[in-house]
Amino acid sequence: MEKLMHLHPLDSVAIVREPIEQLDVIVIDGHPVTFAHALGFGHKIAIRPIAKGEQIIKFGVPIGSATADIRVGEHVHLHNIESNYLVTYTHTHEFTEK
Amino acid sequence: MNLQKNSTWQGYLRPDGTKGIRNVVVVVYLVECAHHVAREITLPYRDEAIHVIGFGGCYPNAYADRMMRMLCTHTNVGGVLLVSLGCESFNRQRLFDTIRESGRPVEQVVIQDIGGTRAAIETGRAYVASLLEAVRHVPRVTMGFADLIVGTVSGGSDATSGVTANPAVGKTYDALIRLGSTAIFENTGEMVGLEATMSRRGVTPALQIELKRAVEKAMRYYTVMGHGSFAPGNAEGGLSTIEEKSMGAYVKSGTAPISGLIKPGDRPPVAGLYLMDIVPDGEPRFGFPNPNDSSEIAELIASGAHCIFFTTGRGSVVGSAIAPVIKICANADTYRRMQEDMDINAGKILTAGVTVDELASEILNKLINTVGGIPTCSEALGHQEFVLGYKSFEPIGPSCLPS
């Protein structure tokens, strides 16, 4: 069975179905990707290149924005995405006029 | 799906023409002080379709009053026994009249008038025997998907819930909407971050505004309650943002357009998908909107749900009074440990390569069996949880319902 699970056709990320061990190699979209770190169930992996500022799509909807360029196979998590929501609601004064 | 489209089953015809999938006698305590007597009345009838519901508070509450009237005249209810202490402030007469006007047999026992606990139990049991006999004569009627209202909740969620059971219920909801059923989803507190995504599904611009406002209200309310929305444990499970976490629960609603916004006790006027706004209006008071899963289930039932899809990862065991609960277990390990409590193993999506679509078909088949009278796991185990507390709501606005 596939180690990764693609939840929706529009998604730019897949989730880890079976835990990934360090140095596991998984072929994503024809490209072999070597994993530097172990990743548990539910974590997200980019299945296409995502540019800084672009929306991350999971379940077919935006779940946040990329804070850096993300390569295919890269772990997508707190270090490279941020909530659209928190930006809107925690920095209202700075961002509403943009 | 074609076979399912033509599925019909034998329901129970109520005097107003509505149809139920169960034929329950409810014994209703009108204040906590009458709870023990109500429970004792039902004890000899454990194997009959007889459920205890009630309201514990002695102070009056318009929401609880309406909930009780809607629940006692629910399509799955055939007859009612009210159990009153006597001095509580609940408007017993109004409830009694509402039930009688619905054409259902209704009786009442007032503990203080009849001379105490033992006399009330004895009289109550005699009433129950006659109510059970009366509901045996309720006419049967052919029911189909167009007659059906379902609701969904989740409880004891874990990292699997958002990728197995919840998407499978979402697909089932899409199928049911196509089949002409009515489906209700709720918990606006779990939609924080998804206001834009969710409200866009509203069928009119005015409804879209109402949907967005409902989530904004939930956020304000839960902030006052001190409810943390994104915990470190969520991030360990791979969730990165609040909208991602919310999406895992919200995905139960499927992808159909949203026809309307209702509040607990409002009956959807026409078939379609409805959001239930469960967060009270006005200044936060009375505590958490729904302190547990059972209070959410009671609200879905008060709005007419015949049957509830309950998704769980950690393994909830609850059922409900009045309406059967179909438990869909998101996690295959939990399913193995708690099989007798679980109607569906959605964990197979992760462990056995079953697709979400295949699982949705399995849920639909389970639903067909359930509405046809086969007990769900929680029904077979005798679960009949019921919780009703204090709340306050303004009526819904004119743009909330389809015209």
Side-chain angles (χ1 to χ4, degrees), chain B residues 220-233:
Chain B
R220 285 194 304 274
Y221 203 101
Y222 282 102
T223 303
V224 173
M225 294 293 116
H227 176 76
S229 46
F230 194 84

Side-chain angles (χ1 to χ4, degrees), chain A residues 1 5 7-8 15-18 41-44 58-59 61-65 75-78 81-86 89, chain B residues 159-160 162-163 167 192-195 197 216 219 235-244 247-248 251 349-353:
Chain A
M1 194 167 14
M5 186 177 182
L7 297 175
H8 189 278
I15 63 156
V16 176
R17 181 207 296 265
E18 273 180 38
F41 167 77
H43 282 260
K44 295 178 290 302
K58 181 187 173 189
F59 298 114
V61 303
I63 57 153
S65 315
H75 184 205
V76 177
H77 203 17
L78 306 171
I81 87 171
E82 68 180 6
S83 168
N84 300 322
Y85 187 79
L86 286 175
Y89 280 82
Chain B
T160 63
V163 293
V192 170
L194 295 174
E195 298 89 323
T197 302
E216 288 165 356
M219 190 187 62
E236 282 163 32
L239 298 177
S240 310
T241 63
I242 180 66
E243 50 267 54
E244 182 182 11
M247 197 61 208
V251 72
I349 291 170
L350 288 168
T351 59

Side-chain angles (χ1 to χ4, degrees), chain B residues 137-357:
Chain B
H137 303 289
V138 169
R140 305 304 298 263
V141 62
T142 300
M143 270 180 94
F145 281 107
D147 300 308
L148 192 66
I149 306 176
V150 298
T152 185
V153 294
S154 30
S157 297
D158 70 10
T160 63
S161 302
V163 293
T164 62
N166 293 350
V169 168
K171 288 276 184 189
T172 309
Y173 260 37
D174 287 350
L176 285 171
I177 297 298
R178 283 195 299 273
L179 292 166
S181 298
T182 298
I184 310 171
F185 67 110
E186 50 92 64
N187 214 342
T188 43
E190 288 178 347
M191 289 167 208
V192 170
L194 295 174
E195 298 89 323
T197 302
M198 192 268 289
S199 61
R200 263 197 299 274
R201 292 168 61 192
V203 291
T204 64
L207 175 62
Q208 292 178 3
I209 293 168
E210 296 282 356
L211 292 169
K212 190 160 175 288
R213 281 186 186 151
V215 181
E216 288 165 356
K217 180 178 72 171
M219 190 187 62
R220 285 194 304 274
Y221 203 101
Y222 282 102
T223 303
V224 173
M225 294 293 116
H227 176 76
S229 46
F230 194 84
N234 295 138
E236 282 163 32
L239 298 177
S240 310
T241 63
I242 180 66
E243 50 267 54
E244 182 182 11
K245 180 189 175 183
S246 293
M247 197 61 208
Y250 163 77
V251 72
K252 292 198 297 300
S253 67
T255 58
I258 299 171
S259 297
L261 174 72
I262 57 172
K263 291 179 179 176
D266 297 336
R267 297 271 163 96
V270 295
L273 179 67
Y274 291 79
L275 171 66
M276 177 181 281
D277 177 6
I278 55 99
V279 175
D281 295 308
E283 285 305 305
R285 53 179 181 267
F286 306 133
F288 283 102
N290 280 330
N292 51 48
D293 300 327
S294 296
S295 56
E296 295 179 43
I297 292 172
E299 290 182 338
L300 290 165
I301 296 171
S303 281
H306 290 97
C307 183
I308 305 293
F309 296 128
F310 189 125
T311 66
T312 183
R314 301 290 294 272
S316 170
V317 299
V318 305
S320 177
I322 299 176
V325 172
I326 295 176
K327 283 218 295 303
I328 300 153
C329 187
N331 184 316
D333 289 333
T334 306
Y335 181 81
R336 257 192 303 278
R337 280 184 290 108
M338 301 178 68
Q339 233 174 92
E340 200 187 358
D341 286 284
M342 302 299 164
D343 296 283
I344 299 275
N345 176 13
K348 287 187 293 190
I349 291 170
L350 288 168
T351 59
V354 172
T355 65
V356 170
D357 285 302

Side-chain angles (χ1 to χ4, degrees), chain B residues 12-20 75 141 147:
Chain B
Y12 297 89
L13 182 63
R14 303 304 169 198
D16 65 356
T18 57
K19 303 169 185 176
T75 52
V141 62
D147 300 308

